[in-house]
C-alpha cells in the first residue's frame, strides 16, 4: 500500500521521475539523485515499509535476493574496485527517506567521495562481555 507523502511510493507510482535500473513484481531499483559515486543505486521493496524494523521476512527475502544481480551489473559496467551496501534506520542513524532502501555504492578508490568513518573499539569488551551481549540479543530474537 502506497503511503501518502512518501517520495519513494511516489516514484513507484510514477508521480516523481526516477532513473530506473531494475524492476520486477516486488522490487524497484533506481539511481540515487545524489550520486555518492557513479552508479550509486537504491533498491526498494514495492511494499511500503518504514525501515528494517517493520519489514516482514518475505519482503526482506525478495529485496535482498535481487541485490547480488544488481551489484554484479554495476560491477560489470563500471569496474569499481569495491562496493558498499548501506541501510540507514531512523533519523539519528541518517535515515532521511522513511521507505526501506538499500544503498549500493560502488567504490573507485580511497578518495572517491564515500566515507564510513567509524572507530573500532575491538579491545573494549572482554570475551565474557561479548558472550553476554550475544546471549542478550539471542534471547530477544523472535522466531
Ligand atoms: P537515506 O539518507 O539513507 O534515507 O537515503 C535517502 C536517499 O534518497 C538519499 O541518498 C537521497 O539522495 C535519495 N533521494 C531522495 N529523493 C530522491 C529522489 N527523488 N530520487 C532519487 N533519490 C532520492
Ligand atoms: Zn513508501
Amino acid at each position: 500500500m502506497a503511503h501518502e507523502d512518501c517520495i519513494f511510493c511516489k516514484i513507484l507510482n510514477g508521480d516523481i521521475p526516477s532513473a530506473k535500473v531494475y524492476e520486477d513484481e516486488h522490487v524497484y531499483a533506481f539511481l540515487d539523485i545524489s550520486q555518492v559515486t557513479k552508479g550509486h543505486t537504491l533498491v526498494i521493496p514495492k511494499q511500503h515499509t518504514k525501515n528494517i524494523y517493520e519489514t516482514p521476512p518475505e519482503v526482506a527475502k525478495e529485496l535482498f535476493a535481487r541485490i547480488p544481480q544488481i551489484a554484479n551489473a554495476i560491477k560489470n559496467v563500471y569496474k569499481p574496485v569495491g562496493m558498499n551496501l548501506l541501510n540507514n534506520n531512523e533519523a539519528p542513524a541518517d535515515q532521511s527517506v522513511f521507505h526501506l532502501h538499500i544503498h549500493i555504492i560502488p567504490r573507485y578508490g580511497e578518495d572517491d567521495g564515500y566515507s564510513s568513518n567509524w572507530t573500532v573499539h575491538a579491545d573494549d569488551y572482554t570475551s565474557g562481555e561479548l558472550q553476554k551481549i550475544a546471549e542478550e540479543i539471542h534471547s530477544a530474537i523472535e522466531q
Side-chain angles (χ1 to χ4, degrees):
M1 190 67 124
H3 269 227
E4 252 180 75
D5 300 328
C6 170
I7 54 170
F8 288 176
C9 283
K10 286 182 179 154
I11 283 175
L12 290 171
N13 290 342
D15 293 340
I16 294 178
S18 65
K20 179 166 94 174
V21 168
Y22 176 82
E23 181 171 18
D24 65 28
E25 192 188 345
H26 300 288
V27 170
Y28 189 79
F30 57 107
L31 294 185
D32 194 304
I33 202 162
S34 305
Q35 294 275 283
V36 170
T37 62
K38 187 176 184 181
H40 176 188
T41 297
L42 301 175
V43 190
I44 66 173
K46 286 193 169 174
Q47 181 176 322
H48 177 98
T49 62
K50 181 185 170 195
N51 56 34
I52 201 73
Y53 300 127
E54 286 187 3
T55 303
E58 320 80 68
V59 173
K61 190 173 162 184
E62 296 290 352
L63 182 69
F64 281 88
R66 303 300 175 268
I67 288 175
Q69 287 169 280
I70 299 166
N72 274 300
I74 297 168
K75 176 173 176 274
N76 292 338
V77 175
Y78 293 124
K79 314 277 187 256
V81 294
M83 196 168 275
N84 291 103
L85 298 186
L86 182 68
N87 162 238
N88 300 326
N89 298 284
E90 304 293 359
D94 297 331
Q95 184 175 12
S96 63
V97 176
F98 293 88
H99 180 131
L100 178 68
H101 52 281
I102 309 297
H103 295 258
I104 302 179
I105 306 172
R107 301 297 308 281
Y108 300 100
E110 277 179 24
D111 299 323
D112 59 3
Y114 176 85
S115 152
S116 56
N117 212 9
W118 67 28
T119 314
V120 176
H121 295 285
D123 297 333
D124 288 358
Y125 294 92
T126 64
S127 59
E129 287 167 337
L130 292 176
Q131 277 302 326
K132 184 165 179 291
I133 294 167
E135 282 161 21
E136 283 171 347
I137 298 170
H138 176 78
S139 61
I141 292 176
E142 291 171 9
Q143 298 294 337

